[in-house]
Amino acid sequence: MDGYQALTALIESAWEELRNPDTGRRDLCLEVVSDILETGRLTQSDAERVVERLVTVALSDESYAMRESALHAVCTASHCYELPFRVAQPLAVGVDRFEPLLLAYVLSILGCTHDQAALPVVERFLRHPHPEVSGEASEAVKELRWRREPAQDKTA
């Protein structure tokens, strides 16, 4: 088994462990996935598939710790891979489900997509009463607008 196959086997093993009802152990599985994403060694398509599964966990798991770990792993991936908006779009659709700390993760992820489709969702939270949320919304808006400006300059 080569190094890449070992990484993907670790991820598959982590997904299998997620079926274990012991939340602490399940949380560790997501840390393994996050650590692998952080290496930046997955192909873009494999990283996107992993993120799609993490998004599903973030939106559906009953455990706050699991949802936070899943979003943390997606944030890690968003710094190592160029994630398309379509992968994060379920988070944008379900954005109102998240508690403030988790919402900050979601806004960061949406900002990292660099897709203008995320802008209206993120802008809704600029005046959020929780300072961490409004601050993250502001950073995400800057990131989304910054990415838009160079593209406009090139066409001018």
Side-chain angles (χ1 to χ4, degrees), residues 129-146:
H130 195 283
E132 192 168 331
V133 172
S134 59
E136 195 58 58
S138 178
E139 289 300 315
V141 166
K142 285 179 195 173
E143 183 71 20
L144 291 165
R145 288 183 178 159
W146 176 80

Side-chain angles (χ1 to χ4, degrees), residues 116 142 144-155:
Q116 296 305 294
K142 285 179 195 173
L144 291 165
R145 288 183 178 159
W146 176 80
R147 281 296 188 138
R148 179 178 60 188
E149 289 171 8
Q152 289 174 343
D153 290 344
K154 289 177 188 174
T155 60

Side-chain angles (χ1 to χ4, degrees), residues 8-20:
T8 57
L10 271 173
I11 290 172
E12 287 307 315
S13 175
W15 295 137
E16 288 298 319
E17 281 291 318
L18 281 174
R19 295 189 180 125
N20 185 335

Side-chain angles (χ1 to χ4, degrees), residues 86-148:
R86 68 174 168 68
V87 173
Q89 188 171 15
L91 294 174
V93 171
V95 73
D96 293 318
R97 296 185 203 174
F98 294 102
E99 299 89 340
L101 177 62
L102 301 184
L103 182 55
Y105 280 113
V106 172
L107 296 172
S108 174
I109 293 162
L110 293 175
C112 287
T113 66
H114 305 121
D115 191 311
Q116 296 305 294
L119 194 56
V121 176
V122 173
E123 287 177 326
R124 287 181 34 217
F125 295 94
L126 288 171
R127 288 187 169 49
H128 193 277
H130 195 283
E132 192 168 331
V133 172
S134 59
E136 195 58 58
S138 178
E139 289 300 315
V141 166
K142 285 179 195 173
E143 183 71 20
L144 291 165
R145 288 183 178 159
W146 176 80
R147 281 296 188 138
R148 179 178 60 188

